[in-house]
Structure formats: C-alpha cells, structure tokens
Amino acid sequence: MRHQHAVIHHRALDFWSARAAVLVIICLQLLVINKLSFGSRWLAPTVEAALLVPLSVATAWTQMRTQKAVDHEHWYAIGRLRLYIRRTALVMTGVISVMNCGSLVFLVRALLEGRAGAGTTLLVDALNIWVTNVIVFALWFWSTDRGGPPTCGLVKRAQADFLFPQMTLPDREIQGWLPGFVDYVFLAFTNATAFSPTDTLPLTQRAKLLMMAEAMISLLTIALVAARAVNILA
C-alpha cells in the first residue's frame, strides 16, 4: 500500500505547476506600470521569492526522499518537512493575496482622486491585477481542497470542498480521479469571468467564501477599473 506522503512524488507536476504559478505572479508584479504597491516595487517580489526558493528546494528534497524512504523514520522526517512546506506555502499565498488586494485599492484610490495615469496603463495594470487574482485563488483552492496537497487522495469525496464533474460520473475508471492544479486554475478562471460557479460547485463554507472573495475582486477590477480606463481612451 502506498504511503500517504508518497503523493508528493506521484503528483510532482502539480507541485511544480504551483511553484511556477508563483513565479508568474512575481513577474506580473514587476510589470505593474503605476505605483500600486506597498513600499518599493521590489518589496513584494523579494518577499515572495525569499519564500519560493526554500519552498522549491524543500519540495525537490521531499520528492527525492519519497523514492528512497523505506521505514517509519524516513516517512516521519518527510511528514515533518511537508508540514513546514504547507505552512510556508500558505503564508506565501497570503502575502500575494494581500499585495494584490493592496494594488487594487491603490489603483481605485488613484482613479477616485484623479491621480491615475493614462488609460492604456490603467488597462494594463487592471489586466495584471485580474490575472494575478485568478492565479492566487487557484493556489488557495488547491491548497485548501480536502486539506490541501498533503492529504490529496486520502480524504473521502464526501469531505471535498469542490464537486468537479468527474466526481459525479459513474464510470469505474475514474472513481479514483483527483483534481490537479490545472483543474483549480480553470475553476478560478471561470469564477473570475462568470462571477459564479460554472461546472464545479463549492460544497463547504470556506470554498464558498473563497469563491465570493475572488468574484468580488474580479468584479471590482473589471467593472470599476477597466471600465474607467476604457472611458479615458474613448
């Protein structure tokens, strides 16, 4: 029987996709045109990179250790490190969320006070904030569903936070199907564009609150900021 921590090796692509998503967010933050960040432009990317680098190293180390683990002590060491990895990942996701919301607040304030730049730059920054919002909530969904990656595949479907279409099909070949990081990216994208659940339904209160928060940020970005930028261009 496969050990519970072996999931970090067997679903390695999901973990590295999530790390790559954070790297994309860092690049997006550096591309913001207007001054829409707390302190220096480099503050948020530097903090996130400082968390991402050791997180990536720890993830690579645990993936290699799961291939060689043979006794309880090995699995115990891996489990301890995975706990720290999860906590660090949640802190990093929280930092990104705060920074992105702060950027949106600064942009809205600039619009209301008439200090915003040209319409083109507003469109670019609004799109930047919107894309970052999609990615960061994909990270939240992935990190919280069924207790997050550490318990992926161990929690019963009845305790899932989201109901994916594959989970409703009777086919035995997909009875053991588990959502991957890309599935959560799609969920975050559709929620940010439709402002409501589409093919995937939230089942728990925290899932509903997360989807509400993402939809609210997306709606504010599109309806207020992007619309104002279009008016300036017109």
Side-chain angles (χ1 to χ4, degrees), residues 6-193:
V7 66
I8 196 172
H9 169 65
H10 293 281
R11 297 182 67 86
L13 181 60
D14 282 346
F15 289 91
W16 290 112
S17 297
R19 307 295 180 255
V22 176
L23 187 59
V24 171
I25 290 176
I26 292 175
C27 294
L28 289 174
Q29 290 174 334
L30 293 174
L31 294 175
V32 173
I33 300 174
N34 296 277
K35 182 174 174 53
L36 304 174
S37 59
F38 298 105
S40 170
R41 174 189 294 268
W42 295 91
L43 177 61
T46 300
V47 172
E48 292 156 9
L51 294 171
L52 178 62
V53 171
L55 189 62
S56 300
V57 172
T59 299
W61 185 86
T62 52
Q63 288 179 353
M64 291 186 294
R65 288 296 297 270
T66 55
Q67 301 180 57
K68 302 177 181 179
V70 293
D71 56 29
H72 176 73
E73 291 184 0
H74 292 162
W75 289 116
Y76 178 76
I78 292 172
R80 293 268 300 180
L81 184 57
R82 293 201 66 195
L83 179 61
Y84 293 124
I85 289 176
R86 173 169 169 73
R87 290 175 178 175
T88 304
L90 290 174
V91 169
M92 182 173 62
T93 306
V95 169
I96 296 173
S97 300
V98 171
M99 293 299 181
N100 195 52
C101 288
S103 296
L104 179 59
V105 170
F106 288 144
L107 187 52
V108 172
R109 179 184 297 177
L111 282 169
L112 296 178
E113 296 178 355
R115 296 184 291 101
T120 304
T121 64
L122 292 180
L123 279 175
V124 173
D125 285 344
L127 179 62
N128 191 319
I129 292 172
W130 187 86
V131 173
T132 301
N133 184 52
V134 171
I135 298 176
V136 74
F137 274 95
L139 290 169
W140 277 121
F141 297 154
W142 180 67
S143 300
T144 56
D145 189 19
R146 306 191 195 191
T151 57
C152 181
L154 302 176
V155 178
K156 296 180 180 179
R157 289 194 174 190
Q159 299 175 327
D161 292 88
F162 298 99
L163 180 64
F164 288 88
Q166 291 89 337
M167 296 165 60
T168 64
L169 300 177
D171 194 340
R172 291 186 178 181
E173 294 183 359
I174 60 173
Q175 285 298 313
W177 181 87
L178 292 172
F181 182 71
V182 174
D183 296 297
Y184 294 106
V185 173
F186 179 76
L187 169 61
F189 176 82
T190 54
N191 186 52
T193 53

